[in-house]
Amino acid sequence: MSECCSPSSSRSGPSGIAMPTRSGDHLVPQVTVPAQTFAMGDAFGDGVRPDGETPVHPVRISSFAIDSTAVTVADFRSFVADSGYRTEAEAFGWSAVFHSALSEGAEIVGSMAGTPWWLGVSGADWAHPGGPSSTALDDHPVVHVSWNDAQAYCTWAGRRLPTEAEWECAARAGHASRRYPWGDELPSPEWPCNIWQGTFPTDNTADDGWVTTAPARSYAPNDYGLYQPIGNVWEWCADWFSPTYYSMSPVDNPPGPSLGAARVIRGGSYLCHDSYCNRYRNAARSSNTPDSSTGNTGFRTASL
């Protein structure tokens, strides 16, 4: 996949580390999404065909609870300390770091095909997001976690990843056809989310106050109480990805395709910019292989 915000690490094979058993305390505050029918998909024509954001179609969702924020570094640290889990980035020995986020002395082991601003960095992982000499901040979303890692956390915490339909329903917060959680326009300079400002990928003016991740509880929440469903970090969803799924999706609680090569990610990240990666929208979707990890992908969980 050649896309600015979610490069595939193209690594083969799982880490081989056993999944933890359920035993942990998931402390992220919850919000309740009421049962409803909503129009899912891109009503503005913003998306590109390979993303499969159309057709707009009715989806009926049962009520569920979802994390108000992405899982933070502190939350993930508790999971690792309690379970002994080792992430896939740690097992593989490297992860994908954006070129301007490299820590001092970081060892580059490769670059991503089609996206040279993404670098494979030895020792980059959830605790060291820019490389071995960097330190993750506890109140920021955890990154450098693969879909498999997110699943391991969910198993430990007695949670699950939201489906793609649940994620979009929660992001829209009961408002039909909005482009963003707050409305249809992106005001400036009062940035309501953490995205790229400047000229991608070389000049980030950081007008929103952040060069990489912002604390998970930043900016105003949407009307359901979700913080930063768009911008900041991409979020893993439960579903396999298919660009044609919307044309055959069931109305009731769609689970996504039964098979696939990549898992859905939603919400965009601090690297999204209109000039290249216009995916910080409610309807925007992308994907990555389930063993891939990057410096701009995290997750939030939903109730079982």
Side-chain angles (χ1 to χ4, degrees), residues 133-155:
S133 65
S134 62
T135 301
L137 300 175
D138 276 359
D139 61 344
H140 286 231
V142 68
V143 293
H144 293 295
V145 286
S146 68
W147 186 90
N148 295 322
D149 297 330
Q151 285 290 97
Y153 178 95
C154 287
T155 299

Side-chain angles (χ1 to χ4, degrees), residues 55-114:
V56 177
H57 56 290
V59 170
R60 189 160 46 241
I61 290 292
S62 301
S63 179
F64 66 100
I66 190 169
D67 295 345
S68 62
T69 72
V71 171
T72 67
V73 170
D75 298 319
F76 202 78
R77 191 185 307 281
S78 295
F79 157 60
V80 169
D82 185 59
S83 67
Y85 184 78
R86 187 169 174 241
T87 62
E88 293 198 297
E90 292 169 285
F92 287 119
W94 66 277
S95 190
V97 177
F98 192 72
H99 70 95
S100 61
L102 290 176
S103 63
E104 184 177 355
E107 178 187 357
I108 299 169
V109 296
S111 60
M112 306 296 110

Side-chain angles (χ1 to χ4, degrees), residues 180 182-197 205-210 218-220 230 280:
Y180 308 113
W182 57 83
D184 294 336
E185 302 299 325
L186 185 67
S188 178
E190 298 298 325
W191 297 99
C193 62
N194 180 17
I195 57 176
W196 185 282
Q197 295 90 45
T205 61
D207 290 343
D208 59 8
W210 306 100
S218 297
Y219 307 99
I230 69 167
Y280 49 93

Side-chain angles (χ1 to χ4, degrees), residues 70-289:
V71 171
T72 67
V73 170
D75 298 319
F76 202 78
R77 191 185 307 281
S78 295
F79 157 60
V80 169
D82 185 59
S83 67
Y85 184 78
R86 187 169 174 241
T87 62
E88 293 198 297
E90 292 169 285
F92 287 119
W94 66 277
S95 190
V97 177
F98 192 72
H99 70 95
S100 61
L102 290 176
S103 63
E104 184 177 355
E107 178 187 357
I108 299 169
V109 296
S111 60
M112 306 296 110
T115 54
W117 41 84
W118 279 107
L119 304 172
V121 175
S122 178
D125 58 41
W126 70 271
H128 310 94
S133 65
S134 62
T135 301
L137 300 175
D138 276 359
D139 61 344
H140 286 231
V142 68
V143 293
H144 293 295
V145 286
S146 68
W147 186 90
N148 295 322
D149 297 330
Q151 285 290 97
Y153 178 95
C154 287
T155 299
W156 171 81
R159 305 285 291 176
R160 63 178 175 86
L161 291 175
T163 67
E164 181 178 19
E166 288 174 335
W167 189 98
E168 185 168 324
C169 182
R172 291 190 178 281
H175 298 283
S177 302
R178 277 186 174 181
R179 179 179 276 123
Y180 308 113
W182 57 83
D184 294 336
E185 302 299 325
L186 185 67
S188 178
E190 298 298 325
W191 297 99
C193 62
N194 180 17
I195 57 176
W196 185 282
Q197 295 90 45
T199 303
F200 186 86
T202 56
D203 178 28
N204 186 353
T205 61
D207 290 343
D208 59 8
W210 306 100
V211 174
T212 60
T213 58
R217 191 179 287 266
S218 297
Y219 307 99
N222 73 4
D223 287 347
Y224 282 165
L226 271 73
Y227 287 86
Q228 301 188 85
I230 69 167
N232 213 23
V233 297
W234 284 100
E235 298 179 6
W236 289 110
C237 291
D239 312 36
W240 289 110
F241 175 80
S242 168
T244 61
Y245 184 66
Y246 283 9
S247 63
M248 61 188 79
S249 171
V251 172
D252 290 309
N253 296 311
S258 58
L259 295 171
R263 296 287 184 173
V264 172
I265 52 175
R266 281 298 201 120
S269 81
Y270 60 84
L271 296 178
C272 281
H273 187 268
D274 277 348
S275 68
Y276 192 79
C277 175
N278 181 22
R279 290 177 175 86
Y280 49 93
R281 296 173 287 107
N282 290 329
R285 58 201 304 253
S286 193
S287 64
N288 210 346
T289 56

